[in-house]
Amino acid sequence: MQTPTIQQPKTELIPLIEREILFGNPEKTSPKLSPDGKYLAYIAPDENNVLQVQLRTVGKQDDRQITADTKRGIRRFFWTYSGEELIYLQDTDGDENWHLFSVNIQSNLVRDLTPFQGVRSHPIALDRNFPNEILVGMNIRDRRKHDVYRINLQNGAVELDTENPGKIEEWTVDAQFQVRAAAATTADGGLELLFRETADKSWESLRYWGPDDEGSAVMFSENGKILYIIANHDVNAQRLIALDLETKQETTIASDPEYDAGATVIHPTKREIQAVSFYKDKQEWQILDQSIAEDFEDIGKFRPGEFDLTSRNLADTTWLISYMTDDGPVYYYVFDRASKTFTFLFSNQPKLEGLPLSSMSPISYTARDGLTIHGYLTKPVGAATPVPTVLLVHGGPWGRDTWGYDRQAQWLANRGYAVLQINFRGSAGYGKAFINAGNREWAAKMHDDLLDGVNWLVETGVSQQDKIAIMGGSYGGYAALVGVTFSPEVFACAVDIVGPSNLITLLQTIPPYWEANRANLYHRVGNLETEPEFLKSRSPLFFVDRIQKPLLIGQGANDPRVKVAESEQIVKAMKQAGKPVEYVLYTDEGHGFARPENRLHFYAIAEEFLAKYLGGRFEPADNIANHSGVVNPQTTHN
């Protein structure tokens, strides 16, 4: 009698999601209503896959393209109050010298409002009562500081409005469209809140924040007697405050003992703050105006995930709502306030729907010195732990990771890796005690928090010790370099994207318009003038001899923040020392990779690199070596 064959159950691997879906352009995104509610503008790729502004008449399907950018694509735009034109921002190959361009929605005529070579422009204010003007910050007179210019949107005339005495970083405009408040940096790295009664009066000091405090102005009230600020003086976390400009009395409007106040919802015509967000593990809203309480309740119940009010008309009858989840696209809806009805507009990436995407879970652990560290864990769908893992470190470092769809995390999880994203000390949003705990701790306690995260991964069974990589961009790239130099045996490999390798040269080459913030950088990182040895001791470049594990570096040639030399000097040192390094330089990028072809190219290289040293999966890539616009001058393997 023949023994029956027993079929062993097969472990089915989830299908690989194409990089084009994960890292390509969105299909449609960033919808915004015109102030009169007649038109809807949004961003979508053209026939050449370059992101453009598209326009439709509300209630019709007459969508048409109104911009004609040829290379980098448009990522930021806003309506003017004329209702006949909108403004978008664009730089050149990632140099961050932004220009403001207006486009007429009827004629498609595009005009550069700030046609000044080598000048960096940023919008300061528009006002519905001054529909033909915009206030813009530009560093025309001195590259180190931005003055305020008043630009006529009808004829393009540019007029100097308010001169910067040298240290002003932010400007605040009142209901008469006059600059009446400003924030100026101080010699000790702090900040001073300035105020003037009228545009022709002298500045006076309203408040001083020390280098370990934070504060900023939000807006003036309609009558100009109240200045709303968000600040953390006398308390740990930033809260929303109403400052009476006559009595100098401060009244707290919204606060949380542990988490900083974040985004504000402001009435479109009344200059009233209606809601404030506090980002904890997820975003939470404090409602200040009860007239929108029922709206927010209905919006919160309609779909799972987090929501934002992204646009509204001046009549305040129609809102655009975005819903974000952790395992799918962003969904946009039109919310009619009168009928309480939702009309689906579009999702930004419909190809994500139905794919085997992973959930993101908030986590926390205790650092070696007792500080509570928060973060997020994304695990591969259906995989049994332990699994190979990537520690994905955010930039800033004074930023933070948040809950929701993260294309890097989803890409890595789909390739078979768990992904841990840590809000290490120095990350924003958790109060000043937490952010100040990161002062002068680059490559020290900030790195210890990451290593404690590695220990948490191993102790909880998510990962095995020898199958963890470190990866990140900007400060996260620096953290990856620190990982392979300061803790050379911990990580299996590292991926650095536009990360500084030498804190001395980083601080020597900051953009000129960061000059006013130099004292605070010295306070939080280290003093270039008096502490070069300290900065050297925290710089991976000087510890190349310790490197044991392979490193992949990606860099933009035009990066104004982390200059190309930051990558090239460590690549050169590693090559001379015979250390394993792969280097990819993009000649048409800056601080990160904005062009989809460059993103796709780099992540193709990165996933093959990670698969080689961690054992995950990768989607084969064609023609990497022949990719246009890329120089790969020094690739060495040991």
Side-chain angles (χ1 to χ4, degrees):
M1 184 174 176
Q2 188 174 2
T3 304
T5 301
I6 299 175
Q7 296 290 334
Q8 296 293 334
K10 292 183 179 180
T11 301
E12 293 292 337
L13 292 175
I14 61 171
L16 282 178
I17 300 172
E18 295 176 18
R19 280 187 302 273
E20 178 68 43
I21 294 176
L22 293 166
F23 293 112
N25 279 330
E27 291 193 18
K28 295 177 182 177
T29 191
S30 305
K32 291 180 175 63
L33 282 171
S34 61
D36 57 15
K38 292 181 180 179
Y39 300 101
L40 175 79
Y42 60 92
I43 290 174
D46 64 13
E47 59 186 8
N48 297 315
N49 200 31
V50 177
L51 293 176
Q52 308 287 358
V53 180
Q54 315 277 341
L55 184 79
R56 79 166 59 154
T57 307
V58 170
K60 298 183 180 181
Q61 296 297 321
D62 57 353
D63 302 46
R64 60 187 176 89
Q65 179 182 320
I66 62 171
T67 60
D69 190 77
T70 58
K71 189 174 183 181
R72 291 184 65 73
I74 296 165
R75 285 157 283 154
R76 183 183 174 193
F77 78 94
F78 51 89
W79 282 95
T80 68
Y81 283 100
S82 72
E84 292 297 310
E85 60 193 344
L86 49 80
I87 293 173
Y88 67 88
L89 281 74
Q90 188 57 281
D91 69 346
T92 301
D93 288 341
D95 66 2
E96 297 187 16
N97 286 329
W98 302 101
H99 286 227
L100 273 62
F101 294 88
S102 69
V103 54
N104 184 284
I105 66 171
Q106 305 301 336
S107 66
N108 292 10
L109 177 66
V110 173
R111 181 171 58 201
D112 187 349
L113 298 173
T114 58
F116 307 103
Q117 186 70 27
V119 168
R120 189 176 195 262
S121 308
H122 65 271
I124 292 174
L126 291 163
D127 192 285
R128 62 188 175 87
N129 294 319
F130 302 84
N132 297 316
E133 295 180 345
I134 182 173
L135 293 176
V136 177
M138 288 190 282
N139 55 348
I140 295 175
R141 293 187 313 114
D142 186 332
R143 294 296 186 265
R144 295 170 298 178
K145 56 187 180 182
H146 289 76
D147 302 308
V148 181
Y149 290 83
R150 190 176 295 263
I151 300 179
N152 186 303
L153 295 174
Q154 292 183 313
N155 60 25
V158 178
E159 175 189 353
L160 179 63
D161 181 272
T162 305
E163 193 170 304
N164 189 335
K167 295 290 186 179
I168 291 178
E169 290 277 273
E170 297 176 355
W171 308 91
T172 307
V173 178
D174 68 6
Q176 281 67 52
F177 213 42
Q178 298 295 315
V179 177
R180 288 183 56 223
T185 58
T186 57
D188 62 354
L191 204 61
E192 188 174 22
L193 182 62
L194 303 175
F195 166 73
R196 59 186 182 183
E197 287 288 348
T198 58
D200 58 352
K201 295 286 180 65
S202 299
W203 293 104
E204 61 176 282
S205 179
L206 280 179
R207 167 162 289 284
Y208 161 76
W209 291 295
D212 287 331
D213 288 333
E214 293 176 289
S216 62
V218 179
M219 70 171 190
F220 284 93
S221 62
E222 184 69 29
N223 62 13
K225 294 181 178 180
I226 301 292
L227 180 61
Y228 296 97
I229 61 177
I230 289 179
N232 60 12
H233 55 273
D234 304 326
V235 295
N236 179 52
Q238 295 190 66
R239 73 270 197 222
L240 176 65
I241 297 167
L243 171 58
D244 188 307
L245 294 170
E246 292 180 357
T247 66
K248 304 301 188 285
Q249 182 74 31
E250 295 182 355
T251 304
T252 297
I253 297 176
S255 64
D256 184 276
E258 185 178 351
Y259 295 91
D260 293 327
T264 56
V265 173
I266 299 172
H267 191 279
T269 61
K270 295 180 180 178
R271 284 185 166 263
E272 294 174 356
I273 299 177
Q274 299 179 289
V276 182
S277 73
F278 291 84
Y279 210 107
K280 303 181 181 182
D281 283 342
K282 298 180 181 179
Q283 182 170 251
E284 298 180 11
W285 289 99
Q286 283 191 24
I287 305 300
L288 307 179
D289 179 358
Q290 288 307 304
S291 72
I292 67 166
E294 185 178 334
D295 296 314
F296 269 57
E297 185 177 353
D298 292 341
I299 292 165
K301 291 177 180 177
F302 182 71
R303 276 194 75 108
E306 293 181 357
F307 70 86
D308 281 306
L309 198 176
T310 60
S311 181
R312 61 212 288 196
N313 60 352
L314 284 177
D316 208 23
T317 56
T318 306
W319 291 1
L320 296 187
I321 307 298
S322 65
Y323 288 92
M324 175 183 280
T325 185
D326 56 347
D327 58 358
V330 179
Y331 294 92
Y332 295 98
Y333 285 82
V334 179
F335 175 60
D336 184 281
R337 294 189 68 204
S339 64
K340 306 294 186 187
T341 55
F342 295 83
T343 304
F344 177 67
L345 196 56
F346 50 72
S347 70
N348 69 332
Q349 291 176 282
K351 289 180 181 177
L352 292 177
E353 296 175 24
L355 294 180
L357 297 169
S358 299
S359 60
M360 177 186 279
S361 301
I363 63 98
S364 64
Y365 57 88
T366 302
R368 62 190 67 181
D369 64 354
L371 196 62
T372 299
I373 305 295
H374 295 272
Y376 300 91
L377 179 66
T378 304
K379 293 193 289 188
V381 173
T385 54
V387 289
T389 300
V390 176
L391 180 62
L392 186 60
V393 186
H394 69 70
W398 308 288
R400 62 161 289 176
D401 283 311
T402 56
W403 182 87
Y405 178 83
D406 182 302
R407 60 186 176 183
Q408 283 187 313
Q410 293 293 343
W411 160 66
L412 291 166
N414 180 255
R415 271 51 176 168
Y417 308 114
V419 183
L420 181 61
Q421 296 169 274
I422 295 172
N423 286 326
F424 47 86
R425 71 191 67 206
S427 299
Y430 296 92
K432 67 183 176 186
F434 190 84
I435 202 166
N436 292 332
N439 289 351
R440 301 171 60 81
E441 295 295 344
W442 290 42
K445 290 182 180 179
M446 291 163 77
H447 186 58
D448 289 344
D449 291 344
L450 302 181
L451 297 179
D452 291 341
V454 169
N455 293 336
W456 178 87
L457 285 167
V458 175
E459 290 167 2
T460 55
V462 172
S463 319
Q464 60 189 66
Q465 187 76 58
D466 61 345
K467 291 292 184 181
I468 302 173
I470 184 169
M471 175 177 179
S474 195
Y475 176 86
Y478 165 83
L481 297 178
V482 170
V484 293
T485 50
F486 285 71
S487 49
E489 297 178 354
V490 172
F491 299 102
C493 60
V495 180
D496 153 34
I497 304 170
V498 299
S501 63
N502 180 352
L503 298 184
I504 295 173
T505 51
L506 175 72
L507 292 172
Q508 285 173 338
T509 59
I510 61 173
Y513 45 83
W514 283 16
E515 194 60 40
N517 200 43
R518 182 180 289 275
N520 190 262
L521 283 172
Y522 285 6
H523 176 74
R524 294 199 182 276
V525 182
N527 192 308
L528 178 62
E529 311 303 327
T530 63
E531 302 178 294
E533 288 304 314
F534 171 76
L535 292 170
K536 186 175 179 181
S537 74
R538 302 294 176 84
S539 299
L541 177 64
F542 301 103
F543 302 95
V544 163
D545 61 302
R546 298 180 181 176
I547 295 177
Q548 302 174 16
K549 304 298 174 59
L551 174 63
L552 168 64
I553 297 177
Q555 177 71 43
N558 307 308
D559 192 336
R561 310 184 200 187
V562 178
K563 300 292 194 296
V564 65
E566 291 299 319
S567 290
E568 296 195 335
Q569 61 193 355
I570 196 167
V571 169
K572 180 180 179 181
M574 290 182 69
K575 188 178 181 184
Q576 290 174 343
K579 301 293 183 178
V581 61
E582 295 182 44
Y583 177 44
V584 190
L585 175 67
Y586 296 90
T587 58
D588 55 355
E589 291 287 8
H591 198 63
F593 310 139
R595 301 190 71 200
E597 51 266 53
N598 292 336
R599 285 198 305 273
L600 290 165
H601 178 265
F602 182 78
Y603 287 113
I605 293 171
E607 72 175 53
E608 189 167 348
F609 175 85
L610 291 169
K612 182 176 181 180
Y613 298 109
L614 285 185
R617 303 185 298 164
F618 68 95
E619 177 190 356
D622 297 325
N623 299 321
I624 283 182
N626 299 320
H627 180 79
S628 62
V630 177
V631 181
N632 194 358
Q634 294 165 329
T635 301
T636 66
H637 302 274
N638 253 21

